Amino acid sequence: MSRTLAELTEGVARVSDRYARVFSIERDGDWYLLKLQEELGELTAEVLRASGRGRKGDATDAAIAEKLADETADLLGSLLLFARHHGVDLEAALARKWLARLEEDAVRQQVR
């Protein structure tokens, strides 16, 4: 099922709100940034395990690949929460910062 960035953000926010209630976590600007850092660290550990530069223990390659995917999702979820908290329109920012380059390339190709 394909979801828009806004739908993903809303779903992640609902899960995060429940998590904060259950564990009595007060989220502020620092929390969102620190959570991003925590999740990046966890993703880094999984990249190291997947590449043979970290301890695999008795984990199978499939289990490591799944954990890598899960940690990637955690990082993305945390980024969506960070952007929402700070009022960042990620779609607009991506269009301006990244996707505009595609339009510039297309114009350059037409000029040639």
Side-chain angles (χ1 to χ4, degrees):
M1 172 197 285
S2 182
R3 294 188 177 124
T4 67
L5 197 54
E7 291 169 334
L8 288 171
T9 300
E10 180 58 31
V12 166
R14 288 176 43 216
V15 171
S16 180
D17 290 347
R18 188 185 76 201
Y19 179 87
R21 264 192 322 275
V22 168
F23 295 103
S24 300
I25 295 172
E26 193 166 324
R27 297 168 296 169
D28 58 12
D30 288 346
W31 184 89
Y32 289 99
L33 181 61
L34 294 170
K35 191 66 174 171
L36 264 175
Q37 185 64 48
E38 175 190 350
E39 296 302 343
L40 180 58
E42 291 174 6
L43 178 59
T44 300
E46 291 310 316
V47 168
L48 291 171
R49 280 185 359 140
S51 66
R53 293 176 285 169
R55 290 175 293 182
K56 288 179 75 170
D58 59 357
T60 65
D61 288 345
I64 292 170
E66 183 173 293
K67 186 73 170 153
L68 180 72
D70 289 349
E71 295 304 336
T72 302
D74 283 351
L75 183 61
L76 178 58
S78 293
L79 181 60
L80 293 174
L81 291 170
F82 177 88
R84 182 176 186 260
H85 178 78
H86 290 285
V88 173
D89 181 341
L90 279 175
E91 290 184 45
L94 282 168
R96 181 183 65 251
K97 185 76 175 158
W98 286 79
L99 302 180
R101 306 296 182 256
L102 297 175
E103 294 171 18
E104 292 169 7
D105 291 346
V107 168
R108 274 192 225 113
Q109 291 298 326
Q110 290 174 354
V111 172
R112 290 182 185 172

